[in-house]
Amino acid sequence: DTAVSQTPKYLVTQMGNDKSIKCEQNLGHDTMYWYKQDSKKFLKIMFSYNNKELIINETVPNRFSPKSPDKAHLNLHINSLELGDSAVYFCASSPKIGGPQHFGDGTRLSIL
Amino acid sequence: QQQVKQSPQSLIVQKGGISIINCAYENTAFDYFPWYQQFPGKGPALLIAIRPDVSEKKEGRFTISFNKSAKQFSLHIMDSQPGDSATYFCAASPFSGGYNKLIFGAGTRLAVHP
């Protein structure tokens, strides 16, 4: 009964490929987020959705496209992967905009 | 530019000691200040949070001290235990206004030695 679950946990792929990361939350929360944690552990928000509507879109390359089919799911698709995309990507959710955020355990993306 | 500055980068404390991690912010619109704890291979977990209408909040061995005029806040871990060894992140965001965009500090790696 994991609250925020991400798949896959590890993703190793080659430069130029397209890949997706999935996130699901069973907390009944309205708001979901994607964060990127770089090799120095710095955490930065990328996107946020509230009830399937995009509300935060940071200065992220347009190779990254989030999709929220329903408020319990937020997926992240990345086109034309680059070496600099190597990082841990975290999904999070909160009961509402402004509520405490609960994080998943991350997807470690490694680009060869 | 780093909107939330966190120090120290790493900290070693003996078991039973007090761990203190400091953060400073610039944006006066910030009014929600959480601390997150992250163990290796896991996501950050909310530890404790404070709003600027109080100067201190305590939950068990964890205390946040908040100084609004100095735009600084800190985490104190009393009676530190080896199980507290983790990376700690402070964060800040405007709680109201419709957008909960957490801005994180760079993190502090805490090691508690037995």
Side-chain angles (χ1 to χ4, degrees):
Chain A
D1 52 344
T2 306
V4 181
S5 58
Q6 297 178 226
T7 53
K9 191 170 174 64
Y10 300 98
L11 189 50
V12 182
T13 189
Q14 298 212 328
M15 222 165 45
N17 283 352
D18 303 338
K19 290 292 178 187
S20 292
I21 306 171
K22 295 187 175 183
C23 178
E24 176 183 3
Q25 54 95 3
N26 62 4
L27 297 167
H29 288 171
D30 288 340
T31 312
M32 296 184 73
Y33 312 80
W34 278 111
Y35 286 84
K36 179 180 180 181
Q37 186 170 49
D38 63 23
S39 58
K40 294 183 179 178
K41 287 195 163 288
F42 188 66
L43 264 168
K44 192 173 190 313
I45 191 165
M46 300 172 71
F47 302 104
S48 178
Y49 272 74
N50 184 62
N51 278 323
K52 302 194 298 176
E53 180 187 348
L54 182 66
I55 56 171
I56 295 175
N57 185 351
E58 287 296 282
T59 50
V60 177
N62 58 15
R63 298 182 295 103
F64 290 79
S65 51
K67 280 193 172 51
S68 182
D70 55 61
K71 72 175 191 178
H73 295 85
L74 180 61
N75 303 322
L76 183 65
H77 187 77
I78 316 170
N79 289 327
S80 303
L81 281 157
E82 299 178 357
L83 288 174
D85 298 333
S86 294
V88 182
Y89 292 84
F90 286 100
C91 176
S93 71
S94 64
K96 57 180 180 178
I97 298 171
Q101 296 184 23
H102 300 256
F103 285 74
D105 283 341
T107 294
R108 182 174 293 275
L109 174 63
S110 300
I111 310 301
L112 303 177
Chain B
Q1 69 283 14
Q2 214 175 333
Q3 294 190 51
V4 179
K5 294 184 179 177
Q6 183 171 347
S7 62
Q9 207 170 8
S10 61
L11 182 61
I12 298 173
V13 172
Q14 292 298 115
K15 179 182 173 182
I18 303 174
S19 303
I20 302 174
I21 304 170
N22 301 300
C23 283
Y25 65 98
E26 288 297 324
N27 190 341
T28 53
F30 290 155
D31 57 3
Y32 173 65
F33 303 90
W35 284 89
Y36 281 81
Q37 179 189 56
Q38 185 179 25
F39 292 106
K42 296 292 186 182
L46 180 63
L47 200 56
I48 186 172
I50 198 168
R51 300 286 307 277
D53 49 351
V54 297
S55 60
E56 187 175 281
K57 183 173 181 180
K58 185 175 179 179
E59 287 184 4
R61 297 183 295 109
F62 300 93
T63 299
I64 300 179
S65 297
F66 187 83
N67 185 330
K68 189 174 181 179
S69 60
K71 291 188 282 187
Q72 295 174 347
F73 58 110
S74 59
L75 176 70
H76 291 62
I77 306 174
M78 312 300 286
D79 187 27
S80 299
Q81 299 296 313
D84 296 330
S85 298
T87 300
Y88 292 81
F89 293 94
C90 62
S93 79
F95 193 76
S96 56
Y99 293 92
N100 185 15
K101 189 169 85 171
L102 280 178
I103 307 297
F104 282 87
T108 296
R109 186 170 291 190
L110 171 66
V112 181
H113 290 179

